[in-house]
Amino acid sequence: VAGKLTGMAFRVPTPDVSVVDLTVHLEKPASYDKIVTAIKQAAAGGMRGVLDWTDEEVVSTDFTTAKQSSVFDVCAGIPLNDKFVKLVSWYDNEWGYSNRLIDLVAYMKSRDLACNSESECKVLSKEVLAELKDTATKLCALGKGFLAADESAGPWLRAGHAEAAKIPDNIQNRAAYRAMCFSTPGLSEYISGVILHWETLFQDAANGTPMVDIINGNGMIPGIKLDKGYDKSGLSSTAQGPLGHQETWDKGIDDLDKRCSEAYKQGARFAKWRNVLQIDPSSGLPSDLSIDVAVKNLAHYAIICQRNGLVPIVEPEIVPNGKHDIHYCAKVTEEVLAAQFKALSLHNIFLEGCVLKPNMVKNGIDGKRVDHDTVAALTVNALLRTVPPALPGIFFLSGETALDEDNEEVATINLSTMNNKFKGKLPWHLSFSYGKALQKTCIVTWMGKDANVGAAQKALKSRAKANTEAVFGTYKAGSCPSVGTDGNVKQAAGPY
């Protein structure tokens, strides 16, 4: 009976979890692997939050309180031949349905704010809305994240490595290094978008090829950093924080509309704006004033981006400098994100065409350390309490770490722990937007020498692959080569 008869048995002893046993005769032949890939792509695209998958050995109770309406069980499917296949999918009747009602309410609100408002429809046409959503969906592609290459100076100056800091910082070296990174063969398997500095957006490689063409040609989307940094004189009525200056906000709103238009014409399709918030419990930082100024500044930037066809990355960064404990950071992170999405709503931001770049919830660099599980739990809980499900993606910044910590490994392990612990329970793509945490080993391998280009590209691709594994929650600590803490020096602080 081989190839003619097959079967399986289920025991579903839970009151609200059900299973779908779908047996299909296919019109066109397809391997089981191709079917699995198509389902994974759908789960990462337009069906995100509704459809999910698992390749673990599971039982019915594993799906209690699953938010998705269908969780495809990769291991339980049976391909009898290339035209006859059995697919198995689980769902929680009550929890899944309730979450779809929440999605509907959120969708209705987003339509009212972004589409049905007569004044906003004049700014965001149906064509622009469709383009924003399409770009955001591509940026949130299955397993992929961002390469943050938007430093104003050579990234080796911020890598925190003593020898790398000696590489001459000039326009030729910056172009050579970035062209090397962007042309890394196969990098788009793990990277969906590359964030550029203004110089790089309009720059050519040594062979005359525009940087945006290198990025597009390698299957990635160019983005642009649009904030102009902050003035350390800051908000005059606020206290000095751990960074050694008062609270701040970013400059650049005055000519932002013009710069957005120019960036779009040059090929950018998304943008980034970072506002810095400092923590100091003893001084009451961040103050209500700085939070209010920061989130409204970011919301103003976001709507200007969207009306110019750019998907905005909203980045309210709570820096880890200081001695605070992780629970204070969790409290502040929730306050900031709640205020941020209120401001985005007031500015009628189209959430489906926007992404968030937050800090992870961590202890201060000089505070009491905690394990990766604690970082993961507190970070994701803060997001679940504040970030609407209509937002397609969240891309973490790595943040500065202590000198005896490996920034690359810490960032990758934290992300992997989150996606492992909360697999199937998150409504958004939870990914990475790393600079130093993607590039440090690459930079130290390169060291400004043409002979090292191949090895440096391999190092970059290896760390990018490690972070894609982290998006799936499968990264194994230490499995990716890293320069580690050798030569660590305090990285440059402040605007970049």
Side-chain angles (χ1 to χ4, degrees):
V1 295
K4 298 179 180 179
L5 181 65
T6 186
M8 63 177 68
F10 287 104
R11 181 171 181 267
V12 188
T14 57
D16 55 341
V17 172
S18 297
V19 63
V20 173
D21 178 351
L22 179 65
T23 303
V24 184
H25 283 282
L26 302 174
E27 182 178 347
K28 298 179 181 179
S31 69
Y32 188 68
D33 286 344
K34 288 184 178 180
I35 294 171
V36 171
T37 298
I39 292 174
K40 288 182 178 181
Q41 290 174 343
M47 295 294 288
R48 180 182 290 108
V50 178
L51 174 66
D52 202 357
W53 58 273
T54 180
D55 56 6
E56 299 175 354
E57 296 293 338
V58 293
V59 294
S60 58
T61 53
D62 292 323
F63 300 95
T64 303
T65 72
K67 291 187 175 183
Q68 295 76 19
S69 293
S70 181
V71 182
F72 171 56
D73 190 337
V74 176
C75 298
I78 300 176
L80 198 62
N81 55 52
D82 61 2
K83 283 193 174 183
F84 185 36
V85 62
K86 178 189 289 288
L87 304 179
V88 174
S89 189
W90 301 85
Y91 62 100
D92 184 319
N93 293 292
E94 299 175 2
W95 201 260
Y97 177 72
S98 298
N99 275 273
R100 296 296 76 73
L101 290 179
I102 294 172
D103 289 348
L104 177 60
V105 172
Y107 177 79
M108 292 168 65
K109 180 181 179 182
S110 70
R111 294 296 89 194
D112 287 341
L113 291 176
C115 288
N116 296 333
S117 166
E118 183 177 349
S119 62
E120 270 307 301
C121 275
K122 294 176 182 177
V123 176
L124 299 178
S125 66
K126 292 182 179 179
E127 292 76 18
V128 170
L129 291 168
E131 181 183 10
L132 291 170
K133 185 172 183 178
D134 180 65
T135 300
T137 299
K138 291 175 180 175
L139 290 172
C140 297
L142 182 67
K144 297 185 182 183
F146 299 156
L147 170 60
D150 55 328
E151 305 91 348
S152 58
W156 46 89
L157 298 180
R158 296 188 63 84
H161 190 272
E163 290 303 311
K166 297 176 184 178
I167 300 171
D169 181 28
N170 55 53
I171 194 169
Q172 293 82 10
N173 277 343
R174 292 195 295 272
Y177 172 76
R178 284 166 176 151
M180 174 193 72
C181 290
F182 305 158
S183 62
T184 297
L187 189 61
S188 63
E189 296 174 37
Y190 316 112
I191 301 295
S192 59
V194 182
I195 309 171
L196 305 175
H197 187 267
W198 195 259
E199 172 189 278
T200 317
L201 181 66
F202 293 89
Q203 194 172 42
D204 294 344
N207 64 4
T209 306
M211 294 291 182
V212 291
D213 289 352
I214 296 174
I215 294 168
N216 282 317
N218 205 12
M220 299 173 290
I221 302 172
I224 179 65
K225 172 190 171 184
L226 288 173
D227 70 76
K228 292 183 177 180
Y230 58 78
D231 187 335
K232 290 185 179 181
S233 60
L235 296 166
S236 58
S237 63
T238 61
Q240 178 174 303
L243 292 178
H245 54 72
Q246 294 176 310
E247 295 179 294
T248 61
W249 80 100
D250 273 2
K251 300 175 291 184
I253 289 290
D254 51 348
D255 64 345
L256 182 58
D257 192 69
K258 175 176 179 291
R259 291 187 293 122
C260 282
S261 177
E262 292 171 352
Y264 186 92
K265 289 177 183 177
Q266 186 63 15
R269 288 299 177 267
F270 69 106
K272 179 197 126 171
W273 186 289
R274 167 187 180 245
N275 267 336
V276 169
L277 293 149
Q278 302 180 69
I279 288 187
D280 184 357
S282 64
S283 300
L285 300 184
S287 66
D288 290 343
L289 173 62
S290 71
I291 294 174
D292 185 67
V293 169
V295 300
K296 288 178 179 176
N297 180 249
L298 281 163
H300 193 181
Y301 136 83
I303 193 61
I304 294 173
C305 283
Q306 288 195 332
R307 72 188 184 206
N308 280 282
L310 299 175
V311 170
I313 299 175
V314 175
E315 183 179 356
E317 179 184 1
I318 302 168
V319 294
N321 305 71
K323 300 179 181 179
H324 56 275
D325 68 27
I326 191 170
H327 297 285
Y328 190 79
C329 182
K331 172 180 176 292
V332 170
T333 299
E334 288 187 30
E335 290 176 356
V336 170
L337 292 179
Q340 185 63 76
F341 282 94
K342 180 179 180 181
L344 293 176
S345 178
L346 288 171
H347 281 75
N348 294 330
I349 300 303
F350 177 55
L351 289 182
E352 291 87 342
C354 175
V355 297
L356 178 69
K357 182 173 179 176
N359 55 280
M360 298 180 189
V361 173
K362 299 192 293 185
N363 54 271
I365 292 174
D366 300 317
K368 181 181 178 181
R369 295 188 185 181
V370 299
D371 58 24
H372 299 293
D373 283 346
T374 303
V375 171
L378 292 178
T379 299
V380 173
N381 284 335
L383 296 172
L384 288 171
R385 291 168 179 168
T386 56
V387 181
L391 193 83
I394 297 172
F395 298 81
F396 289 108
L397 57 94
S398 61
E400 188 176 350
T401 53
L403 296 182
D404 61 346
E405 292 181 299
D406 182 345
N407 178 271
E408 290 179 313
E409 272 289 282
V410 168
T412 304
I413 294 170
N414 281 337
L415 178 62
S416 188
T417 306
M418 291 180 212
N419 280 304
N420 181 273
K421 288 176 67 72
F422 292 89
K423 183 174 177 60
K425 299 178 181 179
L426 303 176
W428 349 264
H429 179 65
L430 201 64
S431 188
F432 59 93
S433 177
Y434 295 163
K436 173 184 173 182
L438 272 175
Q439 300 178 73
K440 183 175 180 179
T441 298
C442 172
I443 290 168
V444 175
T445 304
W446 176 62
M447 292 302 289
K449 298 177 181 179
D450 290 342
N452 296 336
V453 165
Q457 289 181 326
K458 182 179 178 181
L460 176 62
K461 187 175 179 181
S462 293
R463 182 52 62 178
K465 178 177 181 290
N467 281 292
T468 284
E469 292 170 356
V471 175
F472 292 122
T474 60
Y475 178 69
K476 303 299 182 185
S479 62
C480 179
S482 170
V483 69
T485 59
D486 293 345
N488 259 352
V489 294
K490 188 174 182 181
Q491 71 179 55
Y496 57 91

